[in-house]
Amino acid sequence: MTEHSSSPLLQIENLHASVGGNEILRGVNLTVDAGTVHAVMGPNGSGKSTLAHVLAGRPGYEVTAGRVLYKGRDLLAMAPEIRAREGVFLAFQYPVEVPGVSNVYFLKNALNAVRRHRGLPELDAMDLLALTKEKAKLVQIDEELVRRPVNEGFSGGEKKRNEIFQMAVLDPTLAILDETDSGLDIDALRIVASGVNALRTPQRSMIVVTHYQRLLNYIVPDYLHVLVDGQIVRSGGKDLALELEERGYAWLEKEPAPPAPVGAGA
Amino acid sequence: MPSPVLSADTDLAAAFADLRRRTGGYPAWLGGLRERAFARFQELGFPTSADESWKHTNVAPIARIPWEPVPSDPDAARPLPVSVRRGDAAGVQLGFSNGRWSRALSSAPADFAGIDVLPIADVLRDHPEWLEPHFGRHAAWEKNPFTAWNTALAEDGAFIRVSRGAASGPIHLLFLSEGTGAPTVAHPRNLILLESGAQATVVETYVGEGTTLTNAVTEISVGDGAFLDHAKIQRESPDAFHVQSIAVTSQRSSQFTSSSASFGGSIARTDIGVLFAGEGGDCTLNGLFVGEGSALLDTHTTVDHATPHCTSRQVYKGILDGRSRGVFHGTVLVRKDAQKTDAIQSNKNLLLSRDALVHSTPALEIFADDVKCKHGSTIGQLDAAALFYLRSRGIGEQEARALLTWAFASDVVARFKPQIVREEVERALSTRLPGRPR
Ligand SMILES: Nc1ncnc2c1ncn2[C@@H]1O[C@H](COP(=O)(O)OP(=O)(O)OP(=O)(O)O)[C@@H](O)[C@H]1O
Ligand SMILES: [Mg+2]
């Protein structure tokens, strides 16, 4: 194996984080190389969303130990909006309703903030319209929804689709999808998954949090990690999902120390 | 020229005597009304916190200042403050400087069939009989000392009469208050009369600089089947004091809408009262108050359902930043015979800082049994989850706050009529929300 000259996109080292005084993440290690897709599975309450939120910079999540390097820089020192402009995108498990702010208006401001940061010219209303039309097609989201206030009155499935739509527009480098498949029927799942797959590029990495192996039939991960009680207790290839589907998590919970971090070029 | 000095205890009587001397030609009914109003003002004095409707609004600073009226100078040419409208093809503007009609602030006289738009000083002088059935009959000067004060001393303001079946374009009333070194007071007095089937749009705008007191009264009569869109934009200086009573009498099957935006001053208080005097009336009150610094913004509404089958809708929103205070008190009174009343009132408030405060008191008093009445009142902060959601997409914190604040205001602003008011309020709001993205 040859040494990779470039450092990994994301390096999570011994990450400990608390919410409301409770330690939820208890030493997470994870390395994500450019262009790889990592699935994260684990029982309810194991800390998957906490990990996602810590990476996105949600206030109220206190990191008590460890570090996270993104493109070799200290991710945790960046404000949430800076992380986003640097290419981190979180598709929320529970997307937030923002009454009074239309999706288009919201996206225009978000996209132009991102573009300014990247030294790109801002898009005007016409360019944006063309871009949103194209991306709306990708996830087959109704254009009527694009004009409505952000997530307000959307069905669960529409909200999830809207997250992937936003991701398509904002063109992130690291996308974290937190249970984007929950609440989707099989047709919607297929549409969303094919939208996600269309966004897979050699530069873009993804962390896909899910409870269901079926999603991984569509979005085939390069690696799969199992988070139990705030630690990654097992890492492997996509076949691990089948084993989990069959045996559940209990057999892993008894496993001792977490394994070494898994990198791509290994 | 010695100008009369007004302060609570000392020279009010002198001011009143001076007015009497200068305007001795008033007919008996008006002279008598002024005497009674003045006596009532002296009797009531300035309200104190013991007075229920002034509980949260301490007017001691107003009572303490020796206010001076400014001598009239209708021709003084002064630069217009930015973004103050002039009458255009579609409308006409009457402008008042420190309470007196100003040629410089007014559009050229326009000739509308069936519509009078005149300085009320002219009407007081030439046609006081036009005023007699209305002047002092809609506004409750017996109860409100500021209204009594105005009724005793008012000399100018706008007189608008839209005769039976006529329809007017927008009529703009501009009130410019300028502290000329000394604290100045003005008592604008407006009378808006819509005869049956008439239709009109009237926009009152209050702007100014320096330490001023505007004590305005607007009396409105909306005749049978008439439509009035009334709007008020108040954005005077941080040192300004503003008190206005808007008293509306709504006749059978008439429609009245009010769009009101208040951007502050030291104290800005608006009382709006609507009396349904005829069946089948419809009134819509929409308001926004936006406070910063140490402003106190107070809105009192009273909708008096005195007759059956009337509908009232109220949406008021408050945005309070800094150490500002908001007061909303909304009374819906449904009298015994006012069956089939349909009344909804909502007041929502957004506190942008820890030191901001709002008092919201909805008061339903229902004496009829076959009615639909609802009210709601909320006080909250910006939604932390939404704030993070926006930031997680790359929108900066200040921009995200501005965007959510804008969104909070937008549903009431979207209801404002006419459009020019909506646009002006949006502009004023933009300057208050500096980080608002485009
Ligand atoms: N704001 C909070 N305050 C206190 N505890 C919290 C907060 N948010 C999450 N937790 C707790 O942290 C733990 C992990 O929650 P998290 O949402 O990360 O789990 P998850 O793995 O995403 O679960 P799920 O599969 O149900 O989505 C849970 O016990 C949860 O109750
Ligand atoms: Mg979760």
Side-chain angles (χ1 to χ4, degrees), chain B residues 302-322:
Chain B
T302 304
V303 178
D304 184 346
H305 283 267
T307 51
H309 294 286
C310 294
T311 302
S312 64
R313 295 283 179 270
Q314 301 184 54
V315 177
Y316 281 85
K317 291 206 163 184
I319 300 172
L320 289 311
D321 202 352

Side-chain angles (χ1 to χ4, degrees), chain A residues 6-26:
Chain A
S6 64
S7 59
L9 180 68
L10 183 76
Q11 262 176 294
I12 302 174
E13 293 171 7
N14 187 34
L15 183 65
H16 289 249
S18 309
V19 190
N22 299 327
E23 183 169 61
I24 309 294
L25 300 183
R26 303 189 305 119

Side-chain angles (χ1 to χ4, degrees), chain A residues 32-223:
Chain A
V32 176
D33 280 345
T36 59
V37 174
H38 294 244
V40 174
M41 301 182 80
N44 293 120
S46 57
K48 303 181 298 297
S49 294
T50 302
L51 176 62
H53 281 133
V54 167
L55 293 178
R58 185 179 194 122
Y61 288 68
E62 196 198 347
V63 174
T64 51
R67 62 172 194 164
V68 179
L69 295 181
Y70 173 71
K71 298 178 182 169
R73 290 161 53 202
D74 182 2
L75 182 72
L76 302 177
M78 300 178 199
E81 56 270 32
I82 302 298
R83 301 183 196 193
R85 294 171 196 170
E86 286 286 341
V88 176
F89 180 91
L90 170 62
F92 285 58
Q93 180 174 4
Y94 303 109
V96 181
E97 301 195 5
V98 192
V101 179
S102 79
N103 247 327
V104 220
Y105 182 74
F106 165 59
L107 271 178
K108 178 166 183 257
N109 285 293
L111 181 61
N112 281 335
V114 168
R115 290 180 64 94
R116 276 196 301 275
H117 186 79
R118 297 180 189 168
L120 299 169
E122 295 188 22
L123 293 191
D124 63 19
M126 292 302 288
D127 299 336
L128 187 83
L129 190 70
L131 182 71
T132 52
K133 261 189 192 313
E134 179 200 327
K135 303 300 183 190
K137 233 178 251 145
L138 191 72
V139 290
Q140 299 185 24
I141 189 171
D142 194 341
E143 281 186 48
E144 143 77 15
L145 290 182
V146 177
R147 283 187 296 271
R148 289 225 318 244
V150 179
N151 295 327
E152 197 186 26
F154 286 26
S155 71
E158 286 169 341
K159 285 181 182 170
K160 295 301 176 75
R161 246 184 246 207
N162 195 26
E163 295 292 287
I164 302 305
F165 166 66
Q166 291 175 30
M167 166 181 159
V169 171
L170 295 176
D171 189 23
T173 310
L174 173 67
I176 304 157
L177 312 186
D178 192 359
E179 294 200 26
T180 301
D181 53 333
S182 320
L184 295 183
D185 62 34
I186 194 72
D187 294 328
L189 179 76
R190 216 177 278 136
I191 292 163
V192 167
S194 75
V196 171
N197 283 330
L199 296 170
R200 277 180 89 156
T201 69
Q203 289 76 40
R204 197 183 334 265
S205 306
M206 297 189 194
I207 296 174
V208 180
V209 175
T210 182
H211 283 289
Y212 305 105
Q213 192 269 331
R214 64 172 195 174
L215 176 73
L216 305 180
N217 289 335
Y218 296 101
I219 304 174
V220 181
D222 300 303
Y223 303 96

Side-chain angles (χ1 to χ4, degrees), chain A residues 41 211-213 239-251:
Chain A
M41 301 182 80
H211 283 289
Y212 305 105
Q213 192 269 331
D239 296 339
L240 183 53
L242 293 169
E243 206 173 343
L244 292 171
E245 193 97 320
E246 240 166 66
R247 302 176 60 189
Y249 296 107
W251 60 287

